[in-house]
Amino acid sequence: VRYSSNRIKAAAALLTTLLVLAGCGSGSATTGTGATGAESAAGAVSGGNLTWGIETLPLTLNPQVNGQNKAKLLVRNQFDSLVSRGEGGSFEPWLATSWTVSTDGRVYTLQLRDDVTFHDGTRFDAAAVKANFDKLLEPAYSPSVAAINLGQLASTVVKGPHTVVFTLKRPVASFLDFLSSPNSGIISPASLKSAANLTAGGVDVVGTGPFILTKVVAGQEIDYKKNPDYKWPPAGAKHRGPAYLDTVTYRILPEAAVRTGALTSKQVDVIEGVPSSDIDIFAKDSSYTFANSLNSGAPYGLYFNLSKSPTSDVRVRRAFVDAVDLDAVLKSVYFGHATRAWTPVSSTSPFYAKAVENTYGNKPDEANKLLDEAGWTARDTDGYRTKNGQRLTLRLTAASPYIRDRRDVLLQAVSANVKQTAGIDFKVTIADVGTATKASSTNAYEVFDNSRGDSDAGDALALIWGRGAPINYSKANDPKLTTWLGAGSTALTQTARVKPYQSLQTWAIDQAVELPLYVPADQIATTADVHGAGFQPVSGVPDGAYDIWKAK
Amino acid sequence: VTTLLPHRTAAAEPDAPSGPGAGRLGTTPGSPDARRAAGRAVAVRILRRLVAAVLTVWAAVTAAFAALWLAPGSTVDALIGEGPDTPVIRAQIIAEWGLDRPIVVQYVDYLARLLTGDLGRSYVKQQPVTLVLSDQIRPTLELALAATVLAVVFAVGLGVLGAGRPRLRALLSSVQLALVSIPTFWLGILLLVAFSFHTGWFPVAGANGFRALVLPALTLALPIGSVLGQVLSEGLERALERPFALTARTRGISRWRLLGRHALRHALLPTVTITGWVVGGLLGGTVIVEQVFGRPGLGQVALQAVTTTDMPVVLAVVLASTAIYVLVSSIVDLLYVVIDPRLRDVA
């Protein structure tokens, strides 16, 4: 989590004011709980209503079915997981108080809290956990979870009222990460059995979270009220007990300019998704707080198709990478607010190969030399390189609904850059989903763009680089990849996963199979009287409203 | 259809007098016979409309079905979206939604279920489509209605103001042209900046009450009202050039009375035609307005359904929009009869 210096200044200013007021003997500055020293708990007051402008109309509010990163802040209000993540990526207690893992890494025994109730009044216990995981294994319920995250789960057994045992077919290094993800948020077994809108989520799909869902108006807003009985926050939460806010209303405002205007006119208290052009409005004004957080997983990058010419030629791929002055491109597109990606893994991940940084790119002379060597020596009337009368064209078709962060502009800027420096025709087409999927299923592309927001970067790597894996659009099938991915996904400790994943990153950059572009980020801007808004550890997406309070 | 009608009218009014004066020709305005003739004319129109409406809805649904089928990419691809794509997941999706059946079978099956009022289930939300749409129709209708009223008021207001005043009319006309040329999206943002972000007079988003309706309705109404205004203004000018206008003026009636009682009636006919046409187009405009103002409605549902190729929802939105369009154009058709007495005789 990166806080802007202005946020720190704003916090300092507030603290100074409080101290001055206290010095004057005025009691009004110490409402609520007494100052405990912790920044976000100091002066925290309960009560009030928060309105939060969000970007995305969620497709579902069921945490187990949800695949949208942008909906995770919503489901975290309503649902808790068994395990939580600490700031450094450690695994910490939540609904499970402790756990043990067998020496072969296949059997996980979890002790559960015995004082937790669902919003419908039923008790949370080992049987409830089993009901959830049995449901998750139904292939049609949440297909990707059943097929991928829990593909190795052999059984879930109730060992005692508050003891549950998961047995895996083989060790899965990211299993605890799954137990901490919203996809394993625990739903009341009564809801799993009888909710009318189980897949879409809604007020009849209930959890144990700090807020209770009260109303969903599709396309307009999603309303929550405080769960007064809540006393089981994740270990890393900034306070214990019920949430501070009485109610939270999320307003769906898909247009960035409208979110910005809604906050500057104080019609909402918080917004997420601040476009880079508007960041300075909030970051440079002390009447707001602004925070930016890099996402985990695989950063946004270009993957070259190894299965066909000309991108099967490593010289062409290296030339493309060398032809791009990525720092300049990012600066012009994102006004200096983007973080450059250097490897196939996000820089926030413990598996990140930092050594790769600053080792490649922006070498136009080298790029031209490589293309000459590869035989792309002639030029056509438009200035593009050709070989045997064929233009050096690399096609990319992106689906317009999935375009965010001005990626269309970024791709055009890269295209202009490689044309200018090396005569490469990087042809970017923005199309509907059908056309884009058709291009990929008929192998009618040389470049593919993608990013993944998985909280465990290893999961993202398996999907992108595994032989025949679902999104292996570069069609990489080097046997070394299988070795590294196998070692990384079955290692018994997190430390043992680092080396194979770093080898993979070094290889991918050395072979120029990927040109990583930037690390996707989330932003939160609030008015100065809102405190405690933050991001989910590790994944870096905005968190729910549990720790948020409003000064009165 | 037309030949059946006298029958029906007679059956509906068994005690109606049928003297020598009855019939379409030779009736005098205001007589019971004339009223019956007018009533029959309206009845014919309504029945014709009903048949046309059913055909229109069927044609629209069929066209939408064909378009979705012909669109590149399969429904399975769209259902998988950005999620993991494995043969197992593919097979499940195909089996669950019956996508392996021939398209004709899927089409006939869909029509058959439609006749029983079953709109199907959303692929993405796995809910009945009726549930997905039920909360969304009212906000869209509210918005469309408010925008229509505002557009008509705007058009008539500016039209009457500029009628017979060439300089003012030219000025108003340029304002209208500017409003037509501005993209809806940008107009919405401009209105928000002026009347919400800076003044705080109106809320930025939502569908909570009257105040939240003003800016979205204005965004839709101003360009449409401008088109209507241009047509109305033309009509008014033409009417004012007619000899009857001069005669009326020489009789000493005021400008307002001339406009209100005579010229406007002449100018309204083409305007009403255009109104019916643009209200149909309003439904398309609501997609953008709902997006900008964060309002619920059919537009948002349609957008999400199209991008996720949620076929049952797309078809239902087409169905609902067509029904609304047909309803509006029917009302317009009936309005002709109210505005222009001559039409009452030529059903």
Side-chain angles (χ1 to χ4, degrees):
Chain A
V1 179
R2 276 190 341 201
Y3 287 95
S4 75
S5 60
N6 286 294
R7 187 190 156 89
I8 296 163
K9 273 184 222 151
L14 183 76
L15 203 66
T16 316
T17 317
L18 287 175
L19 287 173
V20 168
L21 285 172
C24 295
S26 156
S28 64
T30 50
T31 46
T33 56
T36 57
E39 191 258 335
S40 60
V45 285
S46 285
N49 311 308
L50 186 87
T51 310
W52 185 327
I54 59 169
E55 183 175 358
T56 307
L57 173 64
L59 286 168
T60 172
L61 290 171
N62 178 325
Q64 301 177 345
V65 178
N66 173 47
Q68 293 173 296
N69 263 345
K70 287 281 191 186
K72 285 181 179 167
L73 79 163
L74 297 171
V75 301
R76 267 296 173 237
N77 287 326
Q78 208 186 347
F79 300 94
D80 298 327
S81 289
L82 297 174
V83 177
S84 64
R85 301 298 295 260
E87 282 296 339
S90 57
F91 293 99
E92 297 179 348
W94 198 345
L95 295 183
T97 51
S98 66
W99 54 88
T100 56
V101 185
S102 66
T103 46
D104 65 356
R106 286 179 51 239
V107 183
Y108 286 70
T109 307
L110 281 78
Q111 300 300 326
L112 307 175
R113 289 187 71 123
D114 57 6
D115 56 350
V116 177
T117 49
F118 289 102
H119 300 157
D120 58 12
T122 56
R123 304 286 298 180
F124 162 82
D125 55 15
V129 173
K130 180 175 165 53
N132 273 267
F133 279 77
D134 287 351
K135 183 76 191 174
L136 281 168
L137 283 185
E138 285 179 14
Y141 169 58
S142 183
S144 80
V145 170
I148 291 168
N149 304 88
L150 292 182
Q152 301 301 323
L153 178 63
S155 71
T156 309
V157 174
V158 175
K159 233 346 184 343
H162 299 100
T163 309
V164 69
V165 179
F166 297 109
T167 306
L168 307 176
K169 294 172 197 157
R170 63 163 174 75
V172 177
S174 60
F175 189 65
L176 278 179
D177 177 76
F178 177 72
L179 293 187
S180 71
S181 83
N183 275 151
S184 68
I186 302 295
I187 297 175
S188 160
S191 298
L192 289 176
K193 203 175 286 173
S194 61
N197 305 310
L198 184 59
T199 300
V203 291
D204 60 348
V205 180
V206 306
T208 59
F211 289 94
I212 299 167
L213 181 66
T214 52
K215 195 168 84 172
V216 181
V217 185
Q220 177 179 306
E221 65 183 71
I222 296 156
D223 297 352
Y224 296 89
K225 68 168 191 222
K226 172 170 26 191
N227 173 6
D229 301 327
Y230 193 74
K231 55 182 177 194
W232 43 86
K238 304 274 193 310
H239 81 290
R240 323 304 297 170
Y244 296 121
L245 299 164
D246 291 333
T247 65
V248 190
T249 298
Y250 291 89
R251 277 289 172 76
I252 296 150
L253 303 173
E255 288 307 324
V258 175
R259 287 196 300 281
T260 298
L263 183 62
T264 55
S265 59
K266 308 278 157 79
Q267 298 183 56
V268 298
D269 305 300
V270 185
I271 58 172
E272 60 92 17
V274 182
S276 42
S277 53
D278 289 353
I279 284 178
D280 287 346
I281 297 175
F282 304 113
K284 295 192 168 164
D285 184 338
S286 61
S287 45
Y288 303 100
T289 71
F290 173 79
N292 187 68
S293 162
L294 298 179
N295 294 162
S296 60
Y300 182 66
L302 302 178
Y303 296 79
F304 297 103
N305 188 341
L306 304 184
S307 73
K308 63 191 298 198
S309 176
T311 40
S312 52
D313 185 341
V314 67
R315 289 170 298 190
V316 171
R317 304 197 302 265
R318 283 183 179 146
F320 191 104
V321 171
D322 282 338
V324 182
D325 182 0
L326 190 53
D327 288 328
V329 166
L330 289 176
K331 194 162 188 226
S332 70
V333 176
Y334 297 113
F335 309 96
H337 290 298
T339 303
R340 176 171 182 173
W342 287 98
T343 87
V345 166
S346 164
S347 52
T348 63
S349 168
F351 313 136
Y352 180 60
K354 197 172 169 56
V356 175
E357 282 184 12
N358 297 308
T359 57
Y360 66 90
N362 195 19
K363 292 179 200 149
D365 295 340
E366 187 72 13
N368 283 301
K369 209 176 107 211
L370 284 165
L371 290 175
D372 287 341
E373 277 173 30
W376 298 92
T377 44
R379 296 261 184 170
D380 64 15
T381 48
D382 293 330
Y384 294 113
R385 284 175 179 270
T386 59
K387 181 160 105 180
N388 306 329
Q390 290 275 10
R391 182 185 276 186
L392 178 54
T393 299
L394 275 59
R395 293 164 298 166
L396 179 150
T397 306
S400 60
Y402 302 145
I403 287 182
R404 51 195 177 97
D405 304 344
R406 309 202 330 138
R407 285 176 183 177
D408 45 348
V409 182
L410 173 63
L411 291 171
Q412 295 299 347
V414 170
S415 176
N417 198 198
V418 294
K419 181 194 175 185
Q420 196 195 351
T421 53
I424 299 170
D425 177 22
F426 178 35
K427 197 181 260 173
V428 177
T429 311
I430 309 297
D432 58 292
V433 182
T435 306
T437 27
K438 197 175 168 201
S440 64
S441 62
T442 55
N443 206 25
Y445 65 97
E446 287 73 38
V447 186
F448 191 85
D449 68 323
N450 192 39
S451 67
R452 293 277 314 176
D454 311 62
S455 58
D456 186 292
D459 283 348
L461 291 178
L463 289 169
I464 295 170
W465 298 94
R467 182 191 279 261
I471 48 176
N472 184 348
Y473 288 110
S474 67
K475 315 214 170 179
N477 57 4
D478 194 300
K480 292 198 289 284
L481 287 170
T482 314
T483 313
W484 292 323
L485 290 172
S489 66
T490 56
L492 296 181
T493 66
Q494 296 297 312
T495 336
R497 306 176 70 195
V498 174
K499 214 173 153 232
Y501 286 146
Q502 289 193 343
S503 305
L504 186 153
Q505 295 168 65
T506 313
W507 175 86
I509 296 305
D510 176 58
Q511 293 299 308
V513 190
E514 183 189 351
L515 169 57
L517 294 176
Y518 73 95
V519 185
D522 275 295
Q523 304 81 26
I524 297 177
T526 77
T527 58
D529 56 353
V530 174
H531 304 265
F535 300 92
Q536 297 176 19
V538 186
S539 73
V541 300
D543 209 347
Y546 175 63
D547 275 329
I548 298 180
W549 57 276
K550 261 171 97 172
K552 284 185 178 154
Chain B
V1 174
T2 323
T3 50
L4 285 173
L5 255 148
H7 244 7
R8 288 213 172 166
T9 318
E13 298 171 71
D15 303 325
S18 53
R24 202 175 289 162
L25 293 169
T27 53
T28 39
S31 75
D33 285 346
R35 261 184 270 126
R36 271 189 59 196
R40 197 182 303 150
V42 170
V44 170
R45 274 171 176 274
I46 289 174
L47 204 78
R48 253 194 216 161
R49 269 281 153 197
L50 273 177
V51 174
V54 172
L55 284 175
T56 311
V57 170
W58 171 74
V61 167
T62 305
F65 199 95
L68 283 173
W69 176 59
L70 290 172
S74 70
T75 307
V76 189
D77 285 335
L79 283 179
I80 287 171
E82 280 187 300
D85 180 358
T86 68
V88 182
I89 293 175
R90 257 172 199 277
Q92 269 153 17
I93 289 174
I94 289 171
E96 192 175 347
W97 301 103
L99 298 173
D100 49 350
R101 298 171 302 166
I103 190 72
V104 179
V105 176
Q106 293 186 41
Y107 171 71
V108 172
D109 181 54
Y110 179 76
L111 281 190
R113 280 188 291 123
L114 207 57
L115 285 177
T116 66
D118 178 8
L119 290 172
R121 284 171 70 80
S122 156
Y123 291 160
V124 174
K125 296 191 181 283
Q126 306 208 0
Q127 285 175 322
V129 170
T130 37
L131 195 70
V132 177
L133 290 190
S134 59
D135 297 339
Q136 309 291 322
I137 289 182
R138 198 182 54 95
T140 298
L141 282 182
E142 276 175 6
L143 179 60
L145 192 71
T148 310
V149 171
L150 276 176
V152 170
V153 169
F154 183 70
V156 173
L158 292 201
V160 168
L161 203 63
R165 296 164 170 163
R167 276 208 204 134
L168 184 59
R169 194 181 156 226
L171 178 73
L172 294 176
S173 177
S174 350
V175 171
Q176 288 172 333
L177 279 176
L179 285 170
V180 174
S181 315
I182 296 178
T184 314
F185 170 81
W186 201 52
L187 181 62
I189 301 268
L190 281 182
L191 288 174
L192 273 175
V193 168
F195 300 109
S196 179
F197 300 162
H198 281 295
T199 58
W201 292 347
F202 299 102
V204 68
N208 298 318
F210 175 72
R211 284 207 317 145
L213 188 60
V214 174
L215 292 183
L218 262 182
T219 307
L220 269 181
L222 288 178
I224 290 167
S226 298
V227 174
L228 295 184
Q230 297 272 317
V231 175
L232 185 83
S233 194
E234 281 284 329
L236 279 178
E237 288 308 308
R238 258 200 317 262
L240 289 181
E241 283 162 12
R242 297 266 185 90
F244 79 81
L246 188 65
T247 317
R249 286 293 268 174
T250 51
R251 283 207 319 267
I253 74 168
S254 72
R255 177 176 180 276
W256 292 108
R257 207 172 155 77
L258 172 65
L259 280 171
R261 290 209 53 129
H262 303 283
L264 210 49
R265 197 180 269 262
H266 283 259
L268 271 181
L269 268 184
T271 313
V272 165
T273 311
I274 302 283
T275 309
W277 179 70
V278 292
V279 167
L282 265 180
L283 294 167
T286 57
V287 176
I288 295 162
V289 171
E290 284 166 11
Q291 183 89 350
V292 170
F293 290 92
R295 275 181 66 88
L298 285 182
Q300 295 250 14
V301 174
L303 189 68
Q304 203 178 45
V306 167
T307 52
T308 54
T309 321
D310 199 343
M311 201 126 120
V313 178
V314 175
L315 289 172
V317 171
V318 169
L319 195 75
S321 330
T322 316
I324 294 170
Y325 186 82
V326 167
L327 186 74
V328 170
S329 53
S330 305
I331 293 172
V332 167
D333 214 35
L334 294 177
L335 274 181
Y336 290 150
V337 186
V338 176
I339 296 169
D340 188 346
R342 290 170 302 181
L343 286 173
R344 287 168 207 165
D345 289 341
V346 285

